[in-house]
Amino acid sequence: YQWVVNAGVTDGMNKENAYKKITEYVSKQVKYGSSHVWKYCIDNKSGACDAYAQLIQVMCNIAGIENYYCWGSATANGKTESHAWNKVRFTTNGTWYYSDITWYDSDGATNITKYLLSTSLWSDHKLSSATPKKDMQFPTDSQFGPTVTYFD
């Protein structure tokens, strides 16, 4: 919960603006690493793509942003590897956007907005599955502190 507050998300904030604040905050706080657990991103400020995507999903859940955790593969420099990213929607029955915080964070200035919000899956990504927030193991209150507040 504290990371959502630290990101500058407030109750009643426009969901797209809240998402952009979340991704900007995570990209500043977390660097690419080898851990595959979102909690490690908070504790040690590093994680692999699946940890990034899990953390984004947890933060979106708290902020009331509809989302999916996406899993598949991505190709960079001719090499295809397993990869994870997110899919978000800001209004009921609104447009779904793919968002790859890992590549957004590591892409530098070249295509920094390309991987933030896209209505179509990028040609270098292949989707295998997408898990909605209700199916993702959600953190307990003790993982965030004594009280977890969910924004609507």
Side-chain angles (χ1 to χ4, degrees):
Y1 168 75
Q2 192 59 48
W3 270 46
V4 175
V5 172
N6 291 349
V9 176
T10 58
D11 196 20
M13 176 180 273
N14 168 288
K15 301 293 184 202
E16 185 173 353
N17 289 339
Y19 185 74
K20 288 177 180 177
K21 286 193 172 286
I22 287 169
T23 55
E24 287 170 13
Y25 185 76
V26 169
S27 70
K28 288 178 183 172
Q29 295 296 316
V30 180
K31 297 301 169 212
Y32 192 81
S34 59
S35 176
H36 300 283
V37 180
W38 70 269
K39 185 78 169 73
Y40 194 86
C41 289
I42 290 174
D43 295 339
N44 299 295
K45 298 190 177 180
S46 75
C49 62
D50 48 349
Y52 268 87
Q54 291 165 17
L55 177 59
I56 291 295
Q57 185 168 53
V58 166
M59 292 177 74
C60 282
N61 291 348
I62 293 168
I65 299 169
E66 193 173 359
N67 67 89
Y68 282 84
Y69 170 87
C70 298
W71 182 258
S73 60
T75 304
N77 301 320
K79 186 177 180 184
T80 301
E81 295 183 343
S82 295
H83 191 55
W85 59 94
N86 302 91
K87 191 173 181 180
V88 295
R89 180 164 70 175
F90 306 117
T91 60
T92 306
N93 300 322
T95 303
W96 282 100
Y97 296 94
Y98 290 99
S99 184
D100 187 338
I101 185 64
T102 310
W103 283 24
Y104 166 79
D105 190 24
S106 62
D107 196 38
T110 357
N111 291 312
I112 199 144
T113 56
K114 177 180 178 181
Y115 294 106
L116 182 58
L117 295 172
S118 174
T119 55
S120 58
L121 190 62
W122 310 279
S123 60
D124 48 17
H125 286 57
K126 183 180 177 188
L127 180 65
S128 297
S129 68
T131 307
K133 69 178 183 177
K134 66 183 172 93
D135 295 334
M136 185 75 169
Q137 184 178 359
F138 199 73
T140 62
D141 287 356
S142 65
Q143 289 172 296
F144 278 107
T147 308
V148 175
T149 303
Y150 301 94
F151 296 105
D152 285 322

